[in-house]
Amino acid sequence: MATLQETVNSRANTVLKGVKNFVIETGELSHFAGRFFKEALKPPFEFKELLRQCYHMGNRSLVLVGVTGFIIGLVLTLQSRPTLIEFGAVSWMPNMVGISIVREIGPVITALICAGRIASGIGAELGSMRVTEQIDAMEVSGTNPFKYLVVTRILATTLMLPLLVIFGDVIALYGSALVENLKGDVSFQLYFNTVFDALGFGDLVPASIKSFFFGFVIGLVGCYKGYYSKKGTAGVGVAANTAVVTASLLLFVVDFIAVFVSDIFYDL
Amino acid sequence: MTYNMEKIKHMAQIEKPASVSDKEKNLVIHIKDVRKSFGDNHVLNGFNLKLHEGENLVVMGKSGSGKSVMIKCLVGLMQPDSGYIEVMGQEVNTLDQGQLDALRADIGFLFQGSALYDSMTVRENLEFPMRRHKEKLGNVSDTRPLVLEALENVGLAHTMDLMPAELSGGMKRRVALARTLILKPKVILYDEPTSGLDPITAKEIIELMRSIQRKYNTSSLIITHDVDCARVISERMILLVDGINYAEGTFAQLSASTDPKVEAFFKK
Amino acid sequence: MEKTTAQNIRLGIFVIIGTLLLVTAAYLIGNRQNMFGDTFPLSAVFKNTNGLQNGNNVRFSGINVGTVSRIEMINDTTIKVHMIIEEKMSAHIKKDAVATIGSDGLVGSMLVNIVPGKGDADLVEPGDQLKSYSKIASQDMLSTLNTTNENAALLTAELLQVTESLTQGKGTLGRLLNDTIMANDLKHTITNLKYSSQEASTTLAALNNMIKNIDFEQSTAGVLLADSISGEQMRSIISNLENSSNGIEKIVGDLGVLLEDVKGGKGALRYLSQDTTMVNQLESTMLNIEMGAEKFNQNMEALKHNFLTRGYFKKLERQQKKEAKKVQ
């Protein structure tokens, strides 16, 4: 019996530890976010670095986002076709694909892709900078590393992700239109006409606002994990890895909240 | 209140009458009874240090003995738990960010792993410290001559447009040294300047350090566990053992010591 | 330096294209909701908006010309629907236009249809309130169909009676035609027949009118009739009904002529009994009537089984059973 109790105790301890770590992490991340806003609003501003980061996160992710979006559009259309044909509702394809891509799939897939590419990149980069004392070196050189590294990156992801989402949406819709064009004799004009007929501001606006938050989450988590990376090369790997995992998880939480909130505001 | 007290105290030191030795008068770094611990690990246990103008002081200690912590406290990268740290007449812990940055411009810091910014070229690396300290260099618009001069000092003028990844370990260290020198600091802190280098390259770096000191008449605080390095460059040495300045003296004096803890350093 | 410039140019292109795409999308969406461009307001009052929402399309003769901007409850039976219409349409919509509420496709969103009036009225002015027309709901349509059915049944029964008595043989026919009471009966039957036929005609006309309405307004039933197989069926049913009706009419005409002859006392009896051609004709006419009635019955049966109306008929059946039980 004692052994059972011990097992239960140790399990309980593990759970408690997990909960405690989770709470601590949440607190630290919130603190980090607070520091971001404080530093972001205070001069000097690192515009040049911001532009550089925007380029690296925006332009450099474009191909990846484009390819993913295109494939998602293709697959979504191909997979839905048989069912819609069965119901004799294949002419509803643009409405269905358009709304699902613009409202949910586009932002979420793009954000997840970016979490994989950007959050891990930031985590690894800042982690290695921390480990090799580059962050210390920056501070000693009179440049606030938080401003120079963290603020610029978070701002860059926050600004670039909505744009990437738009590109992803357009390319995904193009992919879907291509399938409909080849398999179903629907002209591109008719396809996009139907799509925009189906869409309303209630679809576009919450999705765009949501994308900003997605970008913020990706930048924030990546920077947080990298900036407070543990010493040693293993720390860099952990930083990159946990950045992706935490960012992806948080993206879904944010998505849930966003859908919840936009539901209230738009009453759709 | 304490701030004023310290102010008075350091003014008193500067205006000390000639009765005190010349060296006391030109104190560059003064560390008094500094303590720092990480949890239960007491790294510094009341450490004292005085660096005079134009002096080469070597602090030797085993890995993990708190040498790096000590010099990070000097430039405000870490805060000691207690104690008094004064650099060039200013108490580090009482400075605000602006004053600290101004002070840091006069302190060169050569990091253990060179800490060159991976994402920047050699030239951008060298320009980085100038970003916030343009006025110190007379508001020059063209930084190229300064960069070139600093690189020529270390014999690497041709690497100006290379990325740090393209350089060897020794070259990186020399570029890092050039970066340290670019703001013409009055005191240079070396954190393990020869670590990770082969003996020949290490010797070259040491020679470079000496020539720079002659050229710019700087004071140097060198942290190392490399006996050869200490022998060549030191004018005076402090042995850091158990978190305190265990022994002080010239290289000859210390190497002749019969104290077992001191002897341990010089045993081959 | 050149590297960063090139980067910034590319970043600029990226941002500009992205923003343009966003703005274009927003414009295209907004355009469809008439947020840009010149518009003018119109309104119409309905009893029931059938789930119409702000932003639903407004169609004029099938073209999207605007959107519903506001739905205002004035009192429990009056709902005012405000619409924004493209300015260029003000040259086409006249004051006698009628607004109805329909739906876009079988499961599509609701919309307001503006149907041009027949007259030569003045053009609408901004803020005008259009006449509205609450079109027949499917329930009403089905009850009309039921009346038609009952009439047809009555008609068929009478026709059957006539046919039966006629097919009993040539011998009876003479007696039938000699007997004044019988003649009166016949007259009465024919009057009834005429009346039935007339009623069938009106019902059919109403049905036709309804079908036209349905076609035009793209309502649920409209789409069913216009697009799907059941619609085709319905159509053929209607045309069959029409055929039957025509047949009935013809018969009535024939009988009328016969009666005239009898009335005229032109030895119609002799003529009738002697002229076998006439008798044969009458016989075949009666046969036709029978067939027509049968077909009509069939059609009604088909209508009963049509999935759109099945539910109603089942309900009716149940109700009848219930009533029957009550009577018992």
Side-chain angles (χ1 to χ4, degrees):
Chain A
M1 282 314 265
T3 47
L4 180 71
Q5 200 170 359
E6 273 167 28
T7 341
V8 169
N9 275 349
S10 74
R11 285 281 161 82
N13 275 338
T14 329
V15 171
L16 266 177
K17 225 183 205 171
V19 170
K20 196 179 151 198
N21 282 342
F22 176 75
V23 172
I24 288 174
E25 184 122 339
T26 312
E28 281 182 349
L29 199 59
S30 311
H31 181 79
F32 197 75
R35 192 172 164 198
F36 161 76
F37 287 114
K38 218 169 72 189
E39 301 263 12
L41 295 173
K42 225 167 44 184
F45 305 112
E46 304 281 0
F47 280 118
K48 236 172 121 181
E49 178 66 8
L50 176 64
L51 288 180
R52 208 173 72 89
Q53 291 304 330
C54 283
Y55 173 77
H56 277 281
M57 283 155 194
N59 291 42
R60 292 294 179 83
S61 307
L62 195 54
V63 175
L64 195 65
V65 167
V67 170
T68 322
F70 186 70
I71 291 171
I72 289 291
L74 282 182
V75 168
L76 193 64
T77 312
L78 285 172
Q79 296 276 46
S80 319
R81 264 188 84 79
T83 319
L84 286 181
I85 285 172
E86 203 171 317
F87 283 108
V90 79
S91 63
W92 285 70
M93 183 72 86
N95 305 41
M96 192 206 83
V97 172
I99 286 181
S100 48
I101 283 180
V102 168
R103 286 180 73 142
E104 192 60 34
I105 296 177
V108 168
I109 294 282
T110 309
L112 284 179
I113 289 288
C114 289
R117 201 196 100 88
I118 297 176
S120 69
I122 294 175
E125 192 185 5
L126 293 195
S128 73
M129 286 184 86
R130 168 64 71 193
V131 167
T132 58
E133 295 181 309
Q134 289 175 48
I135 292 178
D136 286 340
M138 235 170 230
E139 188 155 6
V140 170
S141 320
T143 296
N144 182 343
F146 197 91
K147 253 189 202 329
Y148 189 82
L149 299 171
V150 175
V151 171
T152 54
R153 277 165 176 77
I154 296 180
L155 276 180
T157 53
T158 310
L159 294 175
M160 287 298 109
L161 201 78
L163 285 176
L164 286 172
V165 167
I166 288 291
F167 274 96
D169 284 356
V170 169
I171 293 169
L173 286 178
Y174 178 78
S176 172
L178 196 68
V179 173
E180 281 294 282
N181 189 260
L182 294 177
K183 286 199 128 187
D185 286 332
V186 175
S187 73
F188 281 93
Q189 197 188 353
L190 175 63
Y191 188 90
F192 281 99
N193 258 338
T194 321
V195 166
F196 284 113
D197 248 356
L199 290 176
F201 279 111
D203 302 310
L204 189 68
V205 173
S208 299
I209 294 171
K210 188 160 81 174
S211 309
F212 278 103
F213 284 100
F214 284 174
F216 179 73
V217 164
I218 291 169
L220 183 75
V221 174
C223 286
Y224 167 73
K225 291 291 180 183
Y227 203 73
Y228 294 121
S229 155
K230 299 268 184 319
K231 284 271 173 188
T233 35
V236 179
V238 171
N241 189 3
T242 52
V244 179
V245 174
T246 314
S248 309
L249 207 68
L250 209 54
L251 280 178
F252 284 107
V253 175
V254 169
D255 189 41
F256 170 70
I257 295 170
V259 169
F260 202 70
V261 170
S262 61
D263 207 42
I264 293 167
F265 276 104
Y266 273 90
D267 194 29
L268 296 169
Chain B
M1 268 316 260
T2 33
Y3 177 78
N4 283 342
M5 293 266 288
E6 300 300 351
K7 203 77 169 172
I8 292 158
K9 201 169 166 186
H10 99 239
M11 278 166 71
Q13 272 174 347
I14 286 171
E15 287 158 23
K16 255 183 187 153
S19 62
V20 191
S21 73
D22 279 350
K23 282 199 167 179
E24 273 298 358
K25 196 169 72 181
N26 298 318
L27 210 56
V28 179
I29 295 173
H30 187 189
I31 300 178
K32 215 165 81 184
D33 200 27
V34 163
R35 287 165 198 277
K36 174 86 182 169
S37 53
F38 299 97
D40 292 334
N41 181 17
H42 300 281
V43 181
L44 294 176
N45 254 332
F47 183 76
N48 295 292
L49 180 148
K50 280 177 184 170
L51 177 69
H52 304 98
E53 200 177 312
E55 188 182 27
N56 277 353
L57 175 63
V58 170
V59 175
M60 254 178 105
K62 287 182 287 190
S63 313
S65 60
K67 302 165 294 186
S68 292
V69 172
M70 185 265 291
I71 63 168
K72 278 183 180 163
C73 288
L74 276 178
V75 288
L77 284 173
M78 281 185 188
Q79 304 294 320
D81 296 339
S82 67
Y84 173 79
I85 298 175
E86 187 190 281
V87 179
M88 283 175 287
Q90 289 176 287
E91 194 189 344
V92 175
N93 296 330
T94 61
L95 300 175
D96 63 28
Q97 194 61 43
Q99 292 168 314
L100 192 60
D101 282 342
L103 176 65
R104 280 167 177 174
D106 286 333
I107 307 173
F109 200 126
L110 182 70
F111 284 89
Q112 196 167 353
S114 305
L116 294 179
Y117 309 125
D118 296 322
S119 55
M120 304 178 199
T121 63
V122 169
R123 178 176 175 178
E124 284 166 339
N125 259 290
L126 266 64
E127 280 169 345
F128 197 84
M130 293 191 267
R131 288 158 32 89
R132 296 270 168 261
H133 298 294
K134 284 236 165 86
E135 64 285 354
K136 199 191 170 197
L137 301 163
N139 285 319
V140 283
S141 52
D142 187 14
T143 51
R144 194 184 152 86
L146 287 165
V147 171
L148 208 59
E149 186 199 329
L151 280 176
E152 272 164 0
N153 277 334
V154 297
L156 286 173
H158 60 283
T159 63
M160 191 139 109
D161 293 317
L162 294 179
M163 297 301 282
E166 296 169 291
L167 304 176
S168 72
M171 285 159 92
K172 273 186 199 166
R173 200 60 55 90
R174 285 195 277 171
V175 170
L177 192 53
R179 185 178 70 185
T180 309
L181 294 170
I182 198 129
L183 288 178
K184 309 232 163 28
K186 296 191 178 79
V187 53
I188 303 178
L189 312 176
Y190 297 93
D191 189 359
E192 305 274 10
T194 58
S195 75
L197 299 178
D198 62 275
I200 298 165
T201 317
K203 217 165 263 172
E204 281 172 18
I205 295 290
I206 292 164
E207 273 313 306
L208 206 56
M209 285 159 65
R210 289 178 60 153
S211 73
I212 282 160
Q213 173 156 37
R214 280 195 296 274
K215 194 166 170 183
Y216 295 106
N217 190 32
T218 55
S219 326
S220 308
L221 178 63
I222 300 137
I223 284 173
T224 188
H225 60 264
D226 180 355
V227 180
D228 292 328
C229 171
R231 183 177 54 233
V232 177
I233 205 155
S234 72
E235 290 171 358
R236 195 160 63 90
M237 284 178 72
I238 292 177
L239 292 185
L240 202 167
V241 180
D242 303 330
I244 54 161
N245 41 336
Y246 187 77
E248 253 183 89
T250 62
F251 185 85
Q253 283 169 345
L254 289 175
S255 58
S257 166
T258 53
D259 186 299
K261 278 183 180 172
V262 177
E263 266 187 322
F265 279 98
F266 300 98
K267 254 187 223 152
K268 276 270 160 112
Chain C
M1 267 300 147
E2 278 132 36
K3 202 175 97 198
T4 51
T5 313
Q7 277 184 4
N8 284 343
I9 288 171
R10 273 190 265 170
L11 176 66
I13 292 169
F14 171 72
V15 171
I16 288 166
I17 292 176
T19 316
L20 276 180
L21 284 174
L22 184 68
V23 169
T24 314
Y27 175 77
L28 283 173
I29 292 170
N31 209 13
R32 269 148 219 280
Q33 296 183 0
N34 292 300
M35 289 201 167
F36 315 108
D38 293 334
T39 56
F40 69 97
L42 280 181
S43 65
V45 172
F46 295 93
K47 273 186 186 169
N48 184 346
T49 58
N50 291 330
L52 194 74
Q53 284 181 327
N54 288 353
N56 274 142
N57 284 330
V58 176
R59 284 194 186 153
F60 178 66
S61 302
I63 306 167
N64 283 334
V65 294
T67 50
V68 172
S69 61
R70 197 154 55 88
I71 297 172
E72 190 185 357
M73 194 88 195
I74 291 176
N75 59 47
D76 59 345
T77 53
T78 320
I79 301 161
K80 194 169 187 183
V81 174
H82 298 261
M83 296 168 277
I84 303 175
I85 311 291
E86 284 171 27
E87 181 64 48
K88 58 189 176 200
M89 281 298 151
S90 64
H92 304 294
I93 304 175
K94 288 172 188 154
K95 286 198 176 198
D96 63 349
V98 178
T100 64
I101 290 174
S103 77
D104 186 7
L106 188 58
V107 282
S109 52
M110 302 307 290
L111 49 82
V112 176
N113 266 311
I114 299 177
V115 186
K118 289 201 176 81
D120 211 10
D122 292 336
L123 293 172
V124 284
E125 278 155 33
D128 272 0
Q129 185 172 319
L130 295 178
K131 272 180 284 179
S132 69
Y133 166 64
S134 294
K135 66 165 193 209
I136 318 154
S138 53
Q139 191 71 21
D140 301 336
M141 186 178 89
L142 288 175
S143 68
T144 313
L145 273 176
N146 191 43
T147 319
T148 314
N149 191 19
E150 273 167 9
N151 287 338
L154 200 81
L155 184 80
T156 319
E158 278 189 37
L159 273 174
L160 268 175
Q161 247 177 21
V162 175
T163 325
E164 253 166 44
S165 33
L166 276 174
T167 44
Q168 260 168 17
K170 283 171 195 167
T172 28
L173 188 68
R175 206 162 54 89
L176 179 91
L177 292 169
N178 256 334
D179 196 333
T180 42
I181 305 161
M182 275 304 245
N184 276 344
D185 269 3
L186 188 62
K187 202 173 167 184
H188 183 69
T189 309
I190 285 165
T191 322
N192 262 351
L193 203 60
K194 245 186 189 167
Y195 173 73
S196 295
S197 156
Q198 236 164 26
E199 207 163 351
S201 282
T202 13
T203 318
L204 284 172
L207 203 64
N208 256 343
N209 190 28
M210 205 160 68
I211 300 298
K212 268 181 204 154
N213 263 340
I214 289 162
D215 248 351
F216 184 72
E217 279 159 19
Q218 298 213 343
S219 66
T220 314
V223 167
L224 258 176
L225 291 175
D227 299 346
S228 62
I229 304 159
S230 52
E232 274 305 316
Q233 273 176 358
M234 189 85 116
R235 259 200 187 154
S236 78
I237 289 165
I238 301 299
S239 73
N240 279 345
L241 277 174
E242 214 158 8
N243 281 344
S244 308
S245 162
N246 284 343
I248 291 164
E249 219 157 11
K250 207 179 137 213
I251 292 157
V252 170
D254 282 357
L255 283 175
V257 169
L258 185 74
L259 203 67
E260 282 298 305
D261 282 356
V262 172
K263 256 191 179 172
K266 284 180 189 170
L269 174 71
R270 199 184 55 227
Y271 179 73
L272 244 177
S273 51
Q274 280 171 359
D275 193 344
T276 42
T277 335
M278 181 62 186
V279 172
N280 284 343
Q281 241 174 7
L282 192 61
E283 206 165 9
S284 81
T285 310
M286 285 301 155
L287 251 156
N288 274 345
I289 292 173
E290 204 167 9
M291 255 162 68
E294 214 168 286
K295 256 190 191 165
F296 192 82
N297 259 346
Q298 261 176 18
N299 289 337
M300 285 325 288
E301 199 61 34
L303 203 59
K304 268 186 190 176
H305 287 117
N306 185 293
F307 96 91
L308 182 75
T309 51
R310 192 167 50 202
Y312 176 75
F313 282 110
K314 273 197 178 155
K315 210 170 119 191
L316 207 68
E317 210 171 291
R318 254 181 275 137
Q319 220 163 22
Q320 274 170 352
K321 269 187 193 166
K322 233 191 212 168
E323 271 163 19
K325 257 187 190 170
K326 260 185 197 171
V327 170
Q328 272 176 2

